[in-house]
Amino acid sequence: MKKEFKYKFSVIMPLYNVEEYFEEAIDSLINQTIDFQENIQVILVNDGSPDNVESLCGKYQKRYPQNIVYVKQENGGVSSARNEGLRHVRGQYVNFFDADDRWAPDAFEKAAAFLNSHPEMDVVSCRHCYFGKEEGFNHYLDYKFDRERVVNILEDYTYIQMAVNAVFIRAEALEGKKFDPRLEIGEDALFMTQVLLDKEQYGVLPGAVYYYRKRISGDPMIDSSVMTRSWYSNTLEYNLLMQFELSKGKYGKIIPYIQYLVMYEVQWRLKKKTFPEYFSESEAQGYLDNLKQILSRIDDSIIWEQKYISYPYKCYAFKLKYGEDAFQTAEVRDGKLFYRGINILNLRARERVRINILNVENNRLVIDGETPLAQLGDRCKIFAGDNAGGVWPVKLYPAKYTEERTFNGDLVYQFYNFHLELPLKYHRKFNLWAQIGEEKVELNMTFKRHGKLNEQMPHTYYACGGYLIKYAGGVLNCIQDLPKTHIMAELRYIKDLLRKKKKKLALYRLTYFWKKLFKKEPLWLLCDRSFRAGDNGEALFRYIQKKIDGEEDVRFFLYKDSVDYERLKKIGKVIPFHTFRYKVNFLLADKVVSSHIDGWTTNAFGEDVDYMKNLYKFDYVFLQHGIIQNDLSGWLQKQKKNIRLFVTSAKPEYESVLEGDYGYERDEVKLLGLPRYDLLRSEEQKIIAFLPTWRKNIAMEEGRPGIREYSPYFKDTAYFHFYNSLINDPRLLEAMKQHGYTGEFYIHPALSAQSGDFEENSIITIGRETMQYNEIFKRAGLMVTDYSSVAFDFAYLKKPIVYTQFDVEVFYNQHINKQGYFSYERDAFGPVCYDYESAVDAIIKQLDRGCQMEEVYKQRVDSFFAYTDQNNCERVYQAIKEL
């Protein structure tokens, strides 16, 4: 007898700490295009939530008493809550809805239509669309939704379905099925497999959209799961290994669909970098053994088919599975690497040799690059040769900044650097090859930002030192740079651009060559941020403008709508950033000098850089925004940034750059002092300056270069709650009032769009965007910061500092990957506070002391800075001239 249902849909919503999002979620159900009261039952399961969500549930239940069921239970986890919800289902189709997400208005109507037209099917999957910190159809499994279809899991085994929140399931198909309460994460994947194995098919409905919230502070369940023992044990035992048992129980074997689903989950585990600190050695080994057991039951072809790990991680999976290094044991045939019959590497692919820096110096072709081929072991030797019979072995050395290691410390892959200086003569041709055992493999090259050439342009060339360097078919051809030869090379290049419909780039190039004819003086371009001045760039710019004997044409660039634009025009020449004029000047520049080193500072053409980089002839001078205290070698490495003059200010900083893995020589790193320190003055007032730095994990993407967009979810973050609470703390405000102090809170420029989120009061105000840092340092009597390099400026003046590092572990995991020579416990210029209350106590203590730096911190200042003579600008200026 056919079962009768009171509703078309039953929606089960577990509730735990979702008060903030609950109304948006349930309203998306009420506002469906099908009639809510007639068609939708909502089952609210309060899983012991500590917030005020219960009162909201009561409000909605009172409004829709026939549609809404409210159940409250002790906290038992999402599986327990969903199982409780299943007991109350009265609808034909069931959805498990996360209470911080929302459904598109027509999703239920479309799902009902699909299931009504496919009575043979139990499940229809809808399309995830992210909103919040990340927006769009960016789910890793979105490839399933290219069209409406029926998926047969025995045939389309890569079309896995793991989440339950974006699916509708016939109620009859759920009889006898429950979520496993032992699983804190991954419970939905196991549950979906139990359902799908019944009929081995499901529908895919791209037109029905499920909006999945990407919280700016991260998904609390998923992000924290990797820190719990359950993720390392229960999820493997009761989800992944149980998936295998379900398949064997029905088919007598592990079908490809299950293998692919399990491997899809395992791939993210392979990319995990560390174990939790609390993990014992035996726990770590047990986890590793379980992974090996899982991989041993997955076909090699399934491992290799994974879409979201690179080939080194797939080879690492083979290493765990077979206990051998795939790179070093693979067979070489016809320029390809084969491991157990799988082609794991094309040795002739351009990415196998990256040319990072290419130049001509003293009649030699100088090349700096990197290759992963050294991973093949001692059997692989690389050589450079020329058409005159010359052969040069290529000496390789580990590029530590490229290291990728996994959770147990194993090296997954690493590039190796090389440096070549090849003697130049006209019509000399050079190539690279690898000798792997008995096989010689000709190598192709790809040219990176500072590699000047573009292998994808048929007539690519670079002119330098009296030579024209060309590249085609794996060969560098060096000919004499005669005027006629150069003109013909450029005309061919412009024709290539026109074929690619890059007319504007052709116009820039023609303008550059025309302007170059009339250029008389060396051109220096200076900047700070694209939208603000007031840093070392401006300090040096001001200094040079005052020099009577300056021989350079010095110009400053920033956005024309910057609050600093008109002010700087009164000092010297200013170019509007991101304009035609700016880009032509960039091509003409001999020196580019900046306090920042984001991509836009060294590249004026954005994604078109590969078409224009052969005209970049400038030396890049990195003034720095502050003093380096952490290990930034992975970011500032010479092979990536190619800094010609690297300015440092403190002896330990200078030594850390030279001795670290930055790759620079002594003539490239100079101990000169930050130019803006010359402008530091102290006219102390009773002001506390709050200056925390930014966080990568909560900042939005850039809109215009250098400017990040506003995030409506910023106020959800621990960062906001800490600092907004701090500047409004009653105890702190009372102490400031008693001592006659006011405060100014300045948000970091990377988060400037969020400044309106903070609440000011009669004591502490939100600082103006137009305020210059030097003015802040001059006026303030106390600085409160966290990890920001502005603390060094303040310490330079021997003024007191309080460090607020409430999120120290998160900061060093998600913002800064490596700590450097500077230890806050040993080297900081003030007390370091790791929680809210101690931060408030430390600030009040400073107020009680009259905001004077303690002697121990003054001694640290004296031993840290190289210069305090206010001659930094002159030293930097002369060092640039000597390049």
Side-chain angles (χ1 to χ4, degrees):
M1 182 177 177
K2 187 176 181 181
K3 187 174 180 179
E4 295 293 327
F5 295 98
K6 184 175 180 180
Y7 302 95
K8 180 68 71 175
F9 293 95
S10 285
V11 180
I12 298 173
M13 293 177 65
L15 306 175
Y16 189 83
N17 272 343
V18 290
E19 176 186 357
E20 183 176 354
Y21 313 108
F22 172 74
E23 291 187 276
E24 183 181 1
I26 196 169
D27 284 345
S28 76
L29 302 178
I30 295 168
N31 296 327
Q32 286 294 309
T33 52
I34 62 171
D35 185 83
F36 173 74
Q37 291 182 277
E38 181 181 341
N39 292 289
I40 302 176
Q41 175 197 28
V42 181
I43 304 165
L44 304 175
V45 184
N46 185 337
D47 189 32
S49 184
D51 59 11
N52 194 41
V53 74
E54 183 170 38
S55 65
L56 295 177
C57 293
K59 182 178 76 171
Y60 279 90
Q61 189 180 36
K62 186 176 180 180
R63 192 183 304 171
Y64 301 102
Q66 300 303 314
N67 297 81
I68 295 178
V69 176
Y70 177 71
V71 182
K72 188 174 183 179
Q73 64 175 33
E74 291 186 8
N75 180 248
V78 67
S79 293
S80 171
R82 286 172 176 164
N83 289 337
E84 176 60 30
L86 283 170
R87 295 177 59 246
H88 303 273
V89 166
R90 299 295 181 269
Q92 183 179 3
Y93 309 128
V94 179
N95 169 242
F96 300 93
F97 185 31
D98 292 336
D100 55 350
D101 299 336
R102 67 174 188 257
W103 276 104
D106 59 353
F108 282 57
E109 182 179 354
K110 290 179 176 178
F114 185 91
L115 288 168
N116 288 341
S117 63
H118 292 81
E120 77 286 0
M121 205 165 303
D122 289 337
V123 179
V124 62
S125 175
C126 304
R127 193 178 187 188
H128 274 105
C129 181
Y130 292 151
F131 73 104
K133 184 180 181 182
E134 183 180 344
E135 297 186 352
F137 296 104
N138 302 326
H139 194 282
Y140 289 114
L141 297 177
D142 191 65
Y143 59 82
K144 297 188 298 184
F145 294 94
D146 57 339
R147 59 186 172 87
E148 185 175 314
R149 70 172 79 195
V150 173
V151 172
N152 183 316
I153 66 172
L154 300 182
E155 298 174 358
D156 304 317
Y157 62 86
T158 66
Y159 284 32
I160 56 176
Q161 181 63 45
M162 303 176 74
V164 297
N165 53 15
V167 301
F168 295 95
I169 308 171
R170 291 186 192 274
E172 298 100 318
L174 297 177
E175 292 181 6
K177 295 182 175 64
K178 288 186 177 182
F179 291 88
D180 190 335
R182 295 172 297 184
L183 290 170
E184 295 178 16
I185 191 167
E187 77 292 331
D188 47 353
L190 182 65
F191 186 84
M192 281 308 308
T193 295
Q194 294 178 61
V195 174
L196 291 175
L197 288 184
D198 284 347
K199 293 190 175 177
E200 300 168 345
Q201 60 180 349
Y202 69 97
V204 172
L205 193 57
V209 178
Y210 181 92
Y211 289 97
Y212 181 92
R213 187 184 301 272
K214 297 288 280 187
R215 299 191 193 182
I216 194 167
S217 54
D219 186 298
M221 176 63 72
I222 294 174
D223 291 351
S224 64
S225 65
V226 295
M227 298 302 292
T228 68
R229 283 187 166 88
S230 177
W231 189 79
Y232 290 95
S233 56
N234 287 9
T235 304
L236 267 64
E237 182 177 353
Y238 302 128
N239 176 19
L240 303 188
L241 289 171
M242 187 59 69
Q243 297 271 359
F244 291 157
E245 296 308 309
L246 288 174
S247 179
K248 288 178 66 177
K250 180 167 184 178
Y251 304 100
K253 62 180 181 180
I254 304 173
I255 61 172
Y257 176 86
I258 298 297
Q259 290 188 47
Y260 194 91
L261 184 150
V262 172
M263 189 61 212
Y264 174 87
E265 210 282 336
V266 167
Q267 69 182 329
W268 311 115
R269 292 171 177 267
L270 297 178
K271 296 169 77 171
K272 183 85 174 67
K273 302 302 180 189
T274 58
F275 282 120
E277 291 183 3
Y278 59 75
F279 239 47
S280 67
E281 187 174 332
S282 62
E283 285 177 310
Q285 186 60 50
Y287 174 71
L288 189 61
D289 290 342
N290 279 336
L291 275 187
K292 291 178 179 179
Q293 180 187 353
I294 289 169
L295 287 166
S296 71
R297 303 168 78 176
I298 298 176
D299 294 344
D300 292 349
S301 59
I302 298 290
I303 294 173
W304 200 253
E305 279 185 273
Q306 295 306 307
K307 303 176 187 293
Y308 302 114
I309 49 172
S310 57
Y311 73 88
Y313 281 95
K314 296 174 185 179
C315 289
Y316 181 68
F318 289 149
K319 182 178 181 180
L320 292 178
K321 180 177 179 179
Y322 293 111
E324 62 185 13
D325 190 312
F327 291 114
Q328 297 196 19
T329 57
E331 178 187 1
V332 181
R333 297 199 309 266
D334 300 324
K336 296 178 181 178
L337 207 60
F338 290 87
Y339 180 73
R340 295 178 179 263
I342 295 176
N343 177 10
I344 63 171
L345 202 64
N346 180 359
L347 300 172
R348 295 193 178 100
R350 289 192 296 261
E351 282 292 323
R352 304 301 168 247
V353 178
R354 300 176 179 176
I355 307 301
N356 294 323
I357 303 172
L358 184 144
N359 221 330
V360 174
E361 298 174 9
N362 302 320
N363 222 37
R364 301 177 78 83
L365 183 62
V366 180
I367 299 173
D368 287 282
E370 59 192 19
T371 177
L373 296 184
Q375 289 189 115
L376 274 63
D378 293 338
R379 60 178 174 154
C380 178
K381 308 292 183 184
I382 299 178
F383 299 90
D386 67 13
N387 56 342
V391 176
W392 296 267
V394 178
K395 185 178 179 180
L396 302 174
Y397 52 97
K400 292 184 179 178
Y401 64 93
T402 66
E403 270 189 5
E404 285 285 342
R405 292 186 179 274
T406 190
F407 47 84
N408 63 337
D410 283 352
L411 182 67
V412 177
Y413 77 92
Q414 181 178 43
F415 277 85
Y416 282 67
N417 288 141
F418 60 85
H419 176 80
L420 286 172
E421 295 188 16
L422 304 173
L424 274 175
K425 289 186 178 180
Y426 299 138
H427 305 293
R428 189 61 53 89
K429 296 181 180 181
F430 299 97
N431 68 321
L432 296 172
W433 72 87
Q435 190 70 45
I436 308 172
E438 299 297 318
E439 182 154 348
K440 179 179 180 181
V441 180
E442 298 290 341
L443 299 175
N444 292 304
M445 309 172 206
T446 187
F447 298 86
K448 298 302 181 180
R449 175 74 61 85
H450 306 288
K452 305 301 183 183
L453 299 171
N454 181 355
E455 69 278 4
Q456 298 184 32
M457 293 288 280
H459 298 98
T460 186
Y461 79 94
Y462 173 57
C464 185
Y467 290 87
L468 278 183
I469 314 296
K470 299 184 176 184
Y471 178 79
V475 176
L476 289 163
N477 186 11
C478 307
I479 62 175
Q480 188 175 6
D481 183 14
L482 299 171
K484 182 178 178 180
T485 308
H486 197 147
I487 291 170
M488 293 305 298
E490 180 61 24
L491 289 175
R492 293 188 188 99
Y493 195 88
I494 287 176
K495 284 183 179 179
D496 290 344
L497 286 175
L498 295 176
R499 290 190 190 100
K500 291 180 176 289
K501 299 182 179 180
K502 299 285 185 180
K503 293 181 181 179
K504 195 166 186 178
L505 297 184
L507 178 60
Y508 279 119
R509 296 181 73 93
L510 292 171
T511 306
Y512 156 75
F513 282 108
W514 173 253
K515 291 278 188 180
K516 188 178 178 184
L517 294 174
F518 304 98
K519 181 183 172 188
K520 297 179 180 179
E521 299 172 325
L523 175 60
W524 293 14
L525 293 184
L526 277 68
C527 75
D528 286 318
R529 297 182 185 275
S530 62
F531 57 96
R532 287 301 308 271
D535 206 332
N536 291 305
E538 179 182 338
L540 185 61
F541 183 61
R542 284 176 172 274
Y543 177 79
I544 297 173
Q545 297 306 314
K546 293 178 182 178
K547 290 188 71 68
I548 300 174
D549 58 344
E551 302 173 351
E552 305 82 16
D553 181 1
V554 180
R555 307 177 185 186
F556 200 95
F557 64 87
L558 78 166
Y559 278 117
K560 195 169 185 178
D561 58 356
S562 165
V563 295
D564 297 322
Y565 187 83
E566 292 299 327
R567 180 174 61 80
L568 261 68
K569 279 185 69 176
K570 297 175 183 177
I571 300 171
K573 297 177 183 177
V574 183
I575 303 172
F577 178 63
H578 220 50
T579 60
F580 188 93
R581 179 184 166 203
Y582 156 72
K583 292 181 180 181
V584 173
N585 272 267
F586 192 89
L587 294 175
L588 292 165
D590 297 282
K591 305 284 187 286
V592 174
V593 184
S594 179
S595 58
H596 288 74
I597 197 167
D598 299 303
W600 56 268
T601 61
T602 57
N603 169 37
F605 291 90
E607 294 179 354
D608 288 325
V609 58
D610 286 340
Y611 301 112
M612 303 299 288
K613 63 186 177 183
N614 65 328
L615 298 185
Y616 291 5
K617 302 295 178 65
F618 57 83
D619 292 321
Y620 183 76
V621 178
F622 185 34
L623 300 176
Q624 291 209 63
H625 167 56
I627 291 176
I628 290 175
Q629 52 189 309
N630 297 300
D631 183 355
L632 303 182
S633 59
W635 177 43
L636 298 176
Q637 225 281 340
K638 180 176 180 177
Q639 300 252 358
K640 292 182 177 182
K641 300 297 185 181
N642 195 26
I643 299 167
R644 186 64 186 86
L645 175 61
F646 197 133
V647 175
T648 62
S649 302
K651 291 178 182 177
E653 175 198 27
Y654 171 75
E655 292 166 358
S656 74
V657 174
L658 279 178
E659 295 172 6
D661 193 37
Y662 290 82
Y664 295 97
E665 301 296 331
R666 289 191 177 273
D667 64 337
E668 296 168 316
V669 183
K670 299 290 184 181
L671 185 57
L672 305 171
L674 295 183
R676 72 169 184 253
Y677 284 2
D678 289 355
L679 305 178
L680 288 175
R681 303 288 187 275
S682 182
E683 297 177 8
E684 191 171 315
Q685 301 175 28
K686 288 190 171 184
I687 297 172
I688 300 178
F690 297 82
L691 289 152
T693 192
W694 68 301
R695 305 291 192 273
K696 287 180 183 177
N697 61 310
I698 64 175
M700 296 294 281
E701 297 298 321
E702 291 185 357
R704 292 194 296 173
I707 301 178
R708 294 179 183 272
E709 297 180 347
Y710 177 79
S711 167
Y713 307 98
F714 176 76
K715 293 172 74 172
D716 298 339
T717 65
Y719 178 93
F720 170 80
H721 286 296
F722 181 90
Y723 285 108
N724 195 59
S725 297
L726 183 64
I727 64 177
N728 288 283
D729 184 86
R731 192 158 62 96
L732 175 59
L733 295 178
E734 180 60 29
M736 292 175 67
K737 185 177 180 180
Q738 288 179 4
H739 290 281
Y741 271 76
T742 60
E744 297 172 359
F745 180 84
Y746 293 93
I747 194 165
H748 190 278
L751 298 174
S752 60
Q754 311 298 148
S755 60
D757 291 339
F758 290 91
E759 303 165 23
E760 60 183 9
N761 51 66
S762 60
I763 303 293
I764 300 177
T765 59
I766 307 304
R768 302 190 311 277
E769 185 181 349
T770 55
M771 181 65 72
Q772 298 295 309
Y773 278 110
N774 283 344
E775 186 67 20
I776 299 170
F777 304 148
K778 179 175 72 174
R779 294 162 56 246
L782 170 66
M783 175 183 286
V784 178
T785 186
D786 46 10
Y787 318 91
S788 175
S789 61
V790 297
F792 292 104
D793 297 62
F794 214 66
Y796 192 87
L797 295 171
K798 294 188 176 178
K799 293 185 177 185
I801 301 164
V802 172
Y803 298 88
T804 53
Q805 299 185 353
F806 69 96
D807 60 345
V808 61
E809 291 185 8
V810 173
F811 183 82
Y812 283 106
N813 283 329
Q814 300 186 17
H815 190 84
I816 296 293
N817 292 326
K818 292 183 179 179
Q819 291 180 258
Y821 67 90
F822 192 89
S823 164
Y824 280 94
E825 292 294 334
R826 182 190 65 227
D827 304 321
F829 308 113
V832 183
C833 308
Y834 299 106
D835 59 64
Y836 181 86
E837 290 300 326
S838 65
V840 174
D841 290 342
I843 298 170
I844 293 175
K845 182 179 178 181
Q846 283 294 339
L847 290 170
D848 292 340
R849 295 187 73 258
C851 288
Q852 296 296 313
M853 179 177 273
E854 296 176 49
E855 191 60 35
V856 62
Y857 301 126
K858 288 182 180 179
Q859 292 174 7
R860 291 179 184 180
V861 171
D862 290 336
S863 63
F864 185 77
F865 292 98
Y867 302 104
T868 56
D869 57 5
Q870 296 186 327
N871 287 322
N872 296 345
C873 284
E874 175 63 17
R875 279 187 289 271
V876 171
Y877 173 70
Q878 292 298 334
I880 297 173
K881 287 191 69 172
E882 292 170 6
L883 291 178

